[in-house]
Amino acid sequence: MNAKVEQASGTNAADIAKLALAAVILIGGIAGFYYFSGAAQILRVLGLLAAFVAAVFVGSQTGPGRALRFFLRESSIELRKVVWPTREETLRTTGVIVVVVIIISLILGLIDLILKVVVMDWLLKL
């Protein structure tokens, strides 16, 4: 966890304009992909990818884009700190869970059977 105090920052007009430009670039790339349907497929895909990269670049220059980049950077740092279980630990834990699920399902089935016998055979025959 980061101990820095984060400043609340709003979105200004320049950020809104940049986000709108990023949206226009992305929509233009998608429209171009379908408009040039007669061109080679690889060129259409490369054009779409170029538009996506350009839109991400423009969007990342805004305040929300910088906040997202900071969040992703901090998340990757935290993910490196995670101690992942070994294969043996994972298999052992999975085995315990399977056994517990089987035991609980047998108990619930037994309770259901007992309640069925009590209600259907005893109470309804009174």
Side-chain angles (χ1 to χ4, degrees):
M1 186 111 172
N2 195 352
K4 296 178 187 175
V5 177
E6 296 183 20
Q7 299 292 328
S9 62
T11 305
N12 58 19
D15 285 345
I16 293 173
K18 288 177 188 176
L19 288 173
L21 177 64
V24 167
I25 291 171
L26 186 60
I27 291 170
I30 293 170
F33 179 81
Y34 289 109
Y35 181 76
F36 294 109
S37 61
Q41 184 75 19
I42 188 72
L43 293 177
R44 294 171 56 211
V45 170
L46 287 176
L48 182 62
L49 287 176
F52 179 74
V53 168
V56 167
F57 177 75
V58 171
S60 70
Q61 302 304 313
T62 64
R66 285 187 291 277
L68 179 63
R69 282 193 328 236
F70 178 76
F71 172 75
L72 292 175
R73 184 173 52 244
E74 292 291 321
S75 296
S76 67
I77 291 170
E78 290 297 322
L79 273 176
R80 282 186 242 141
K81 296 178 185 178
V82 172
V83 178
W84 298 100
T86 62
R87 179 176 175 85
E88 293 80 24
E89 291 171 337
T90 304
L91 290 175
R92 190 177 313 121
T93 306
T94 303
V96 168
I97 290 171
V98 167
V99 168
V100 168
V101 165
I102 290 171
I103 290 171
I104 296 296
S105 64
L106 289 174
I107 291 171
L108 288 175
L110 184 63
I111 291 171
D112 184 50
L113 181 65
I114 292 170
L115 287 174
K116 176 192 162 282
V117 168
V118 168
V119 171
M120 298 297 280
D121 294 340
W122 292 354
L123 292 178
L124 291 180
K125 289 193 178 183
L126 292 178

